[in-house]
Amino acid sequence: ETNDLYCIGCGAKLQSNDPDEAGYIPASSLKKQLAADNNLFYCQRCFRLRHYNEITDVAIDDNEFTALLNSLGKQNALIVNVVDLFDFDGSVIPGLHRFVGTNQVILVGNKADLLPKSVKRSKVTNWLQQQAALQGLHPVATLLTSAKRLYQVDELLAVIEKERKGRDVYVVGTTNVGKSTLINAIIKQTAGQNDVITTSRFPGTTLDQIQIPLADGQSLIDTPGIINGTQMAHYLSAKELRYISPQNELRPRVFQLNPPQTLFLGGLMRLDFLKGTRSSIVVYVENNLLVHRTKTATADDFYQRQRGKLLVPPADPEQFPPFKQHDFHTKEPQDLVIAGLGWLRLPANSDYRLFLPEGVSYSLRTPIV
Ligand code: GDP
């Protein structure tokens, strides 16, 4: 019955099925608004924006996102790309460097509040820049923020002001990097006096953008997020995902290992320490995630008996991709980074066998602690 109804805020076709999709209106609100009989319908997202100056996420498909990026590439604008410090690989927008063209990019690594105090912020920034360069992105500035704790948000605004040179600012990011939280923080800081936040369409798409007015008549524009489907996140339930995503500052956990010994992180990954001298491995993952040490000789058997039981998540290993092996050697101490999960600090001069669900990526970096 909502077939011909559109939100007058963003133009999205109204639907009551999926709260995460564009144009969502709860069935009860729709009923009320229909009864009012004035043909003024707002989707839930626009309703919240109008009444609470607060934005929420919508998921969009790849084609729409490509159209959005295309229209972005045609503007003369400053681009702010927000990524999740704990899931860089999952935060990458494929091909972003091609779309931004000659426009400048500010790279924002969000969720910095989760990093332990012992982590050197400058090392993280360097690492982020290296990762961006691998994607062909060369940001004019790189910042570490916490949208949640309002850490470095003022600084970000100052850098935006310095770099935008009279242009509009577009904020882009995949879902779950904290873009909405960051935009809401920015709204609170900037739009207080003239809170005329508006929505309009991206040319050539059905997607809405949210415009936050800047002092000189230009706008800061929030774009919808895209889902990057290459991560661990893809294979876990929403509940399990919340469980492995760090919520509080990470507490380093130290394990003394005598090779050959094995560490399991729930049933999500397995690391065999095959060769090297007795050393400690420091694990930086969600504080409640089980880290279990065992002898490598019995690890296969242990995994078969305990997967889905002691070794969770995933609760249902049958629905999880099979483990794939990766062998590597460390010459220097290295951080083993698992996108979406965290990292392990490994000692030098050792041999490892890593087991990860097929499709999930890992990388090695110079330690950041
Ligand atoms: P979006 O999909 O990019 O708009 O992301 P959201 O703003 O909806 O945030 C996704 C999740 O990350 C939520 O659970 C937020 O509470 C959390 N989050 C956002 N910003 C931060 C941050 O700076 N630190 C931490 N620890 N969590 C954050």
Side-chain angles (χ1 to χ4, degrees), residues 278-299:
R278 177 183 160 82
S279 334
S280 53
I281 290 181
V282 192
V283 181
Y284 298 84
V285 298
E286 177 18 68
N287 297 332
N288 297 306
L289 179 62
L290 171 85
V291 183
H292 185 87
R293 179 180 44 193
T294 176
K295 288 201 179 79
T296 300
T298 55

Side-chain angles (χ1 to χ4, degrees), residues 314-356:
D316 184 0
E318 298 306 327
Q319 300 298 317
F320 204 60
F323 273 152
K324 200 172 164 229
Q325 292 183 25
H326 313 267
D327 290 346
F328 64 93
H329 174 82
T330 56
K331 270 197 212 140
E332 307 289 331
Q334 298 265 276
D335 282 348
L336 168 65
V337 185
I338 314 292
L341 203 57
W343 75 95
L344 292 82
R345 190 195 157 104
L346 307 177
N349 302 316
S350 2
D351 289 341
Y352 300 91
R353 176 164 293 162
L354 172 66
F355 298 75
L356 277 180

Side-chain angles (χ1 to χ4, degrees), residues 16 25-35 41-42 44 47:
S16 299
I25 179 170
S28 55
S29 314
L30 178 65
K31 221 167 149 189
K32 261 190 231 150
Q33 294 192 26
L34 276 170
F41 300 100
Y42 283 103
Q44 188 174 59
F47 183 87

Side-chain angles (χ1 to χ4, degrees), residues 144-156:
L144 307 183
T145 62
S146 168
K148 207 165 167 181
R149 309 249 178 266
L150 299 181
Y151 170 73
Q152 293 274 321
V153 174
D154 280 343
E155 286 74 4
L156 172 61

Side-chain angles (χ1 to χ4, degrees), residues 57 110-114 145-149 174-181 246-247:
D57 294 335
N110 190 40
K111 308 194 184 178
D113 55 296
L114 299 175
T145 62
S146 168
K148 207 165 167 181
R149 309 249 178 266
T174 59
T175 52
N176 211 42
V177 297
K179 193 162 64 69
S180 306
T181 310
Q247 300 298 324

